Amino acid sequence: MPELPEVETIASQLRGRIVGRTISAATLERPDYLRSDVPGFPRLLVNRVVQGVTRQGKRMSVLLDNGATLLFHLGMSGRVTFEPIGSVIAPHTHFRIRFRQVEGELRMRDPRRFGGIWYARA
């Protein structure tokens, strides 16, 4: 299970890569991995600018310019990574976000699916 220092390390690494970036596309490969009932997700993320990345306990939050928050819980085996576009997508990658200003994407991978993503509107 990812522990608090690991989640802080992931959040810190993502801060430098995605804060200030505009989301160009989002793909949810498994609709049941989104733990919020949000019609139109992931379309709601397109054209949003990432304002910050924070950590609360073992959860990581991506704060968006419209006041909404994407909350990631890694569960027992989850990983959030930043990968080059075009690289092989690992099995069990349930969620991906692309950004306009960088040649890479955020990927959420969770083989055991004990984690999840929540979308909270402001």
Side-chain angles (χ1 to χ4, degrees):
M1 172 184 288
E3 296 297 331
L4 187 140
E6 292 169 295
V7 177
E8 179 58 39
T9 298
I10 293 167
S12 177
Q13 290 172 348
L14 288 178
R15 266 183 219 114
R17 291 189 175 252
I18 68 172
V19 171
R21 309 287 191 221
T22 303
I23 297 171
S24 63
T27 305
L28 183 63
E29 300 293 343
R30 289 193 61 104
D32 63 335
Y33 203 67
L34 177 67
R35 309 295 192 201
S36 305
D37 183 22
V38 182
F41 184 89
R43 193 176 64 245
L44 296 173
L45 302 178
V46 176
N47 296 322
R48 300 278 48 110
V49 177
V50 175
Q51 299 291 339
V53 178
T54 62
R55 179 199 50 81
Q56 298 89 26
K58 293 184 184 181
R59 294 173 182 86
M60 184 178 63
S61 298
V62 175
L63 313 171
L64 305 175
D65 64 339
N66 64 349
T69 301
L70 267 178
L71 180 70
F72 293 86
H73 189 284
L74 303 180
M76 293 181 72
S77 60
R79 295 283 180 253
V80 177
T81 60
F82 196 83
E83 304 291 337
I85 292 174
S87 64
V88 175
I89 298 171
H92 309 291
T93 299
H94 304 309
F95 184 59
R96 296 180 291 139
I97 300 176
R98 286 190 179 190
F99 300 90
R100 285 206 176 98
Q101 301 92 334
V102 292
E103 289 296 318
E105 64 183 6
L106 180 146
R107 295 179 182 175
M108 174 75 177
R109 181 175 182 266
D110 187 3
R112 297 180 74 188
R113 291 193 299 131
F114 287 119
I117 301 166
W118 286 260
Y119 180 78
R121 296 181 179 144

